[in-house]
Amino acid sequence: MILPVAHTKIHPDQKLGESVQQLLLAKIAVYLMTFLIVTVAWAAHVRLFQVIEHIDDVLALLNLACMMIITFLPYTFSLMASFPGVPFGIFLFSVCAVVIGLIQAVIVAYGFYHPHLLNQQIQESENQNFYKRHILKIILRGPILCFLAAIFSFFFIPLSYVLLGLVIIFPHLSRLITWCKNKILGQRGEEEEPHSLETFTFYLSEPLSKERVEAFSDGVYAIVATLLILDICEDNVPDPREVEEKFHGSLLEALSEYGPNYLAYFGSFVTIGLLWFVHHSLFLYVTKATRLMGLLNILSLAFIGGLPLAYQLTSEFAEKSHNEIEAIQVSCVITFFASIFQFAIWTTALLNEEETLHAFARYGGKEHAFMFAKLALYPCVSLGAFFLTCLLSEFSTAIFHLMQIVIPFAFLALRIFVRISLTAIKFVMSLSRRKVVLLEEEEACLSPNETLS
């Protein structure tokens, strides 16, 4: 999804401020929306196979068709991003989303027609028709909105984007309406709930498991890291004829011209690797992912997907572009949001720590302070680099590369620093307690008259 954004051609003599307004801003907005729609489709697919536990040849082929359409979505996004004013791009994307939903509905219908493929709980239930209607209603909400978006794309494109946006927020909106209705109706709403939702449908509205969230996240990090090396292979291999004519056959001399590109690649890869390391460390301490934690994780992954764009911008330093400051600031903003949403996951987990966190990661636990420092490092450093480039624009490139070099060593030194800080705090606290104890002992030794005086 990020490739059309990352591969936006910006000439060195073209100002990035104008480019952001004309090229990047619309593409980034469309990228975020389509990325979130794909995550909605992924969540629906995961819940679908909570209903259907066994797969035969027909289901395997239907699922393969569904995967084929999903892998075609980046191409439709490329059309949307490159031609935002042309309806065909959004029409094709919406049609693909409708087809995905219809295939998933066919999978549900086929599964209920062959009950031995279903979850054991549904097989034993007497209300299979209720389950079937309820599951189809959940699955077909998104395709219906996408169908309307496809129709309106030829009449009023902004309304199509609004309808696609509803695909993302509709589940949260429906839960908010249900919550408000229950608050207004009070006890009566609570009594109606068992009749409207039976046992297994609980799985369809529950947050996805921690393991599924981790697996999806690892896949995004792996793909983003792979995209970086693909860009290196595509753009930074010199032409043999040019090496022979311009550099007299010296490949090493020809490659030296790509030095800043390699530096940008290693810096971007280290950023992705360390953000994955922080994400992995965070979910080691998480016992259960809530719905809000899952949403924050998806938002973090959306900005992780923007790191190839940061690589493309910073790799232009070799051409002495006029856009170095703006490129660095865009990179810092992407890194900041990718990491601040990770910090928000941690904060959300602390609000319900008994349910979501291991005991040693909660307030007062031995790993709490270290995890807090680890998650706060990237937001603080990226925000600091952003403001330093505003104040010291002449040294913007040096500041950015220094940030990339320092952070890995900061992670290594972080545990030592946190332990020294905690030891110092405990020492100061013990000294203050000793003073309090000494004062209490002195007061106990004094006579009542001396105490009054």
Side-chain angles (χ1 to χ4, degrees), residues 87-109:
F88 184 72
I90 191 168
F91 173 79
L92 191 59
F93 179 87
S94 302
V95 167
C96 287
V98 170
V99 172
I100 291 166
L102 290 176
I103 292 173
Q104 291 178 338
V106 171
I107 289 173
V108 171

Side-chain angles (χ1 to χ4, degrees), residues 137-340:
K137 184 176 73 174
I138 292 173
I139 286 175
L140 290 174
R141 284 187 305 206
I144 289 170
L145 290 170
C146 290
F147 178 73
L148 294 174
I151 293 172
F152 282 105
S153 64
F154 292 100
F155 305 105
F156 190 53
I157 290 177
L159 181 58
S160 295
Y161 281 109
V162 170
L163 290 168
L164 290 177
L166 279 175
V167 175
I168 302 164
I169 65 170
F170 190 84
H172 307 284
L173 193 63
S174 62
R175 287 185 197 96
L176 179 64
I177 292 169
T178 304
W179 181 82
C180 293
K181 191 188 293 184
N182 289 339
K183 285 291 181 183
I184 293 168
L185 297 177
Q187 187 65 30
R188 185 173 51 181
E190 293 177 5
E191 289 174 358
E192 289 175 1
E193 188 175 2
H195 299 289
S196 61
L197 285 177
E198 298 191 19
T199 51
F200 185 77
T201 52
F202 148 81
Y203 291 111
L204 300 176
S205 57
E206 272 291 290
L208 295 176
S209 68
K210 170 197 162 186
E211 290 75 20
R212 296 296 308 191
V213 172
E214 284 185 285
F216 181 72
S217 303
D218 288 344
V220 171
Y221 278 100
I223 291 168
V224 171
T226 305
L227 289 178
L228 296 179
I229 194 59
L230 290 179
D231 287 332
I232 285 279
C233 296
E234 180 184 355
D235 301 329
N236 297 285
V237 177
D239 183 75
R241 195 174 294 175
E242 184 183 352
V243 172
E244 190 64 37
E245 294 174 359
K246 187 177 177 181
F247 300 99
H248 309 291
S250 176
L251 180 60
L252 189 61
E253 190 178 343
L255 290 175
S256 64
E257 287 202 346
Y258 298 103
N261 300 67
Y262 299 132
L263 185 61
Y265 161 72
F266 285 113
S268 300
F269 191 92
V270 166
T271 302
I272 293 170
L274 290 177
L275 285 170
W276 170 82
F277 168 68
V278 172
H279 184 275
H280 173 69
S281 302
L282 170 61
F283 276 86
L284 279 178
Y285 300 141
V286 170
T287 55
K288 178 186 175 183
T290 63
R291 192 178 305 283
L292 181 56
M293 289 167 67
L295 178 61
L296 292 169
N297 184 64
I298 287 171
L299 292 172
S300 175
L301 293 177
F303 284 97
I304 291 292
L307 287 172
L309 171 63
Y311 161 74
Q312 286 289 339
L313 293 173
T314 54
S315 65
E316 298 294 331
F317 291 168
E319 302 178 22
K320 302 298 180 185
S321 169
H322 297 293
N323 303 317
E324 288 187 6
I325 297 173
E326 290 83 356
I328 289 168
Q329 289 175 347
V330 169
S331 302
C332 289
V333 167
I334 291 171
T335 306
F336 173 77
F337 279 106
S339 55
I340 200 67

Side-chain angles (χ1 to χ4, degrees), residues 266-275 277-278 370 374 377-378 381 400-415:
F266 285 113
S268 300
F269 191 92
V270 166
T271 302
I272 293 170
L274 290 177
L275 285 170
F277 168 68
V278 172
F370 178 60
K374 191 188 290 186
L377 185 59
Y378 253 117
V381 173
F400 182 71
H401 290 316
L402 185 65
M403 177 193 80
Q404 291 182 316
I405 293 167
V406 164
I407 285 185
F409 294 102
F411 271 104
L412 294 174
L414 198 58
R415 185 175 287 275

